[in-house]
Every structure is written in structure tokens, then in C-alpha cells.
């Protein structure tokens, strides 16, 4: 509770000083951490908050990162939603992917793996398993080639989670161990512990 109060106080100070770019960065990091550590509660509210301040970062790469994690969070929660909510979330994800496709076309070395990873997750929720695996593998490959270690880790983790959902634990272990190795290489020690404790 103290940490939440402190965070709220700091955010309020930045808003009072009209430091909206700083507020955006604080909220974006909270969103990323929520996703990486499977803490999906209140992330819809966080995303809406971020949209309020997104005009302050137009043209910065953070716009892409927000779009990417917004889609990932929507996809992570998809199966637990009502039919009505699913339609709303799917509409948001497709709008995000339209933007991501444009960015991927202009700078594939930076954005193609992100676009492919969202496609993989979309195929997963539609139960298009062969298609999902192909997209996951392509995302892993593109992220690795272009030295996006943390996103190669994430793609491996998501493919590992996918194989667990398919009751193929032996294959899942291969991808989860690779994710763990890449997170460690990236220096994300708490995420390594999270992988260890979860799997």
C-alpha cells in the first residue's frame, strides 16, 4: 500500500508540473512489468491512462512499444473475457496490428519480429496452431538476427507457454530454457527467477 501511495504521489507531482512525457514513461514501464510478470489486473485502466499521454511521445519509439504491449496484454486476457469483451479487444488488437504492419514495412529490422509475435498470439487464440507455431518461430528468428535479446526471450517464453497449453511439456522446456538463458543474458534477473518459480 505504501508503494502504491508513493507511486500515485510521484505521478501526481509529474502531472502537476505538466511533465506528461515522464508520466507516459512511468505508466509504460508499469504496463511492461505487469505483462512480464503475469499481473494482468487493472492493465486495461493502465492502457487507457497511457493513451491520454501518448500525444506527448508521438514520433518516439515508445509509441511502438506501447502498441506492442497493449496488444500482448489484450491477447493474454482474451480467453477469460465475455463474448462482447472479446469483440472489443479483438478490434483494438487489429487496429494496433495495422499500425505495427506499417512500422514493420518501413523498418523490419526493428519491428517485424513484434508484428510476427502478435500474429502468433492471434493465431493461438483462434486455435490455428500450425500457423501460430510458424509465426512464433519467425518472430524468434527475426528478433535474434536483429539482436533484440529481450524480445527473442519473450517469443521463446510465449512459444513455451503455448506448448504447455498443448500438453507438450517436453518441447515447452526447450523454449522456456532458451527464454531463461536470453533473459539472463539481457540482465533481467527477476524475470529469470519468475521463470524458475513459474515453471
Amino acid at each position: 500500500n505504501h508503494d502504491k501511495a508513493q507511486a500515485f504521489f510521484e505521478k501526481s507531482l509529474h502531472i502537476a508540473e505538466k511533465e506528461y512525457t515522464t508520466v507516459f514513461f512511468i505508466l509504460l514501464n508499469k504496463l511492461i512489468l505487469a505483462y512480464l510478470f503475469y499481473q494482468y489486473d487493472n492493465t486495461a485502466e493502465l492502457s487507457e491512462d497511457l493513451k491520454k499521454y501518448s500525444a506527448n511521445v508521438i514520433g518516439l519509439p515508445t509509441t511502438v512499444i506501447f502498441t506492442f504491449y497493449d496488444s500482448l496484454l489484450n491477447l493474454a486476457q482474451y480467453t477469460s473475457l465475455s463474448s462482447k469483451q472479446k469483440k472489443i479487444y479483438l478490434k483494438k488488437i487489429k487496429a494496433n496490428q495495422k499500425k505495427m504492419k506499417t512500422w514493420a514495412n518501413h523498418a523490419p529490422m526493428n519491428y517485424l519480429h513484434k508484428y510476427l509475435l502478435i500474429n502468433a498470439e492471434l493465431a493461438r487464440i483462434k486455435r490455428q496452431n500450425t500457423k501460430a507455431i510458424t509465426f512464433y518461430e519467425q518472430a524468434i528468428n527475426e528478433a535474434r538476427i536483429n539482436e533484440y535479446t529481450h524480445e527473442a526471450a519473450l517469443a521463446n517464453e510465449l512459444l513455451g507457454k503455448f506448448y504447455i497449453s498443448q500438453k507438450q511439456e517436453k518441447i515447452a522446456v526447450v523454449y522456456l530454457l532458451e527464454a531463461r538463458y536470453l533473459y539472463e543474458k539481457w540482465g533481467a534477473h527477476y524475470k529469470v527467477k519468475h521463470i524458475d518459480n513459474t515453471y
Side-chain angles (χ1 to χ4, degrees):
N1 284 342
H2 173 73
D3 289 345
K4 280 184 183 175
Q6 182 67 21
F8 178 77
F9 176 67
E10 285 170 9
K11 181 185 159 189
S12 300
L13 277 178
H14 290 301
I15 292 168
E17 294 296 322
K18 297 186 178 176
E19 296 169 348
Y20 300 133
T21 304
T22 304
V23 173
F24 182 89
F25 282 116
I26 291 167
L27 294 174
L28 179 61
N29 281 300
K30 282 180 76 172
L31 190 81
I32 293 167
L33 287 170
Y35 180 75
L36 289 177
F37 291 95
Y38 310 167
Q39 295 170 356
Y40 307 136
D41 294 345
N42 306 318
T43 51
E45 189 184 320
L46 200 49
S47 282
E48 287 309 309
D49 252 7
L50 270 157
K51 279 172 192 161
K52 289 179 201 169
Y53 301 105
S54 59
N56 298 279
V57 293
I58 287 172
L60 295 178
T62 43
T63 305
V64 182
I65 296 165
F66 169 51
T67 304
F68 179 57
Y69 278 96
D70 185 50
S71 289
L72 286 172
L73 275 160
N74 288 329
L75 286 157
Q77 297 170 84
Y78 187 83
T79 52
S80 63
L81 302 172
S82 67
S83 298
K84 189 180 176 182
Q85 285 176 310
K86 280 180 179 176
K87 284 177 186 172
I88 295 165
Y89 273 54
L90 210 50
K91 194 175 175 182
K92 282 166 67 180
I93 296 159
K94 284 180 179 175
N96 282 347
Q97 271 302 78
K98 195 174 176 183
K99 292 180 206 168
M100 196 65 78
K101 188 175 184 183
T102 303
W103 294 323
N105 287 340
H106 288 294
M109 71 293 295
N110 295 325
Y111 305 126
L112 181 58
H113 65 278
K114 293 176 176 69
Y115 175 72
L116 291 166
L117 190 53
I118 301 299
N119 275 347
E121 286 283 273
L122 274 167
R124 174 186 62 77
I125 65 165
K126 293 175 184 174
R127 296 186 180 150
Q128 298 169 339
N129 294 353
T130 306
K131 204 172 175 181
I133 292 164
T134 302
F135 280 131
Y136 282 125
E137 292 285 7
Q138 287 173 346
I140 289 166
N141 195 44
E142 286 294 324
R144 187 183 51 76
I145 288 167
N146 294 298
E147 298 180 2
Y148 278 85
T149 306
H150 60 304
E151 287 168 354
L154 177 58
N156 273 285
E157 181 183 359
L158 290 176
L159 184 48
K161 283 174 75 174
F162 169 80
Y163 277 120
I164 287 171
S165 74
Q166 300 303 303
K167 310 284 188 241
Q168 296 184 56
E169 285 85 359
K170 286 182 181 176
I171 302 172
V173 167
V174 174
Y175 290 97
L176 290 170
L177 283 173
E178 181 65 9
R180 186 191 188 283
Y181 163 73
L182 290 169
Y183 280 127
E184 197 160 42
K185 186 178 176 185
W186 188 43
H189 304 300
Y190 282 104
K191 183 60 188 176
V192 171
K193 285 180 184 175
H194 182 249
I195 294 273
D196 289 346
N197 293 336
T198 307
Y199 303 105

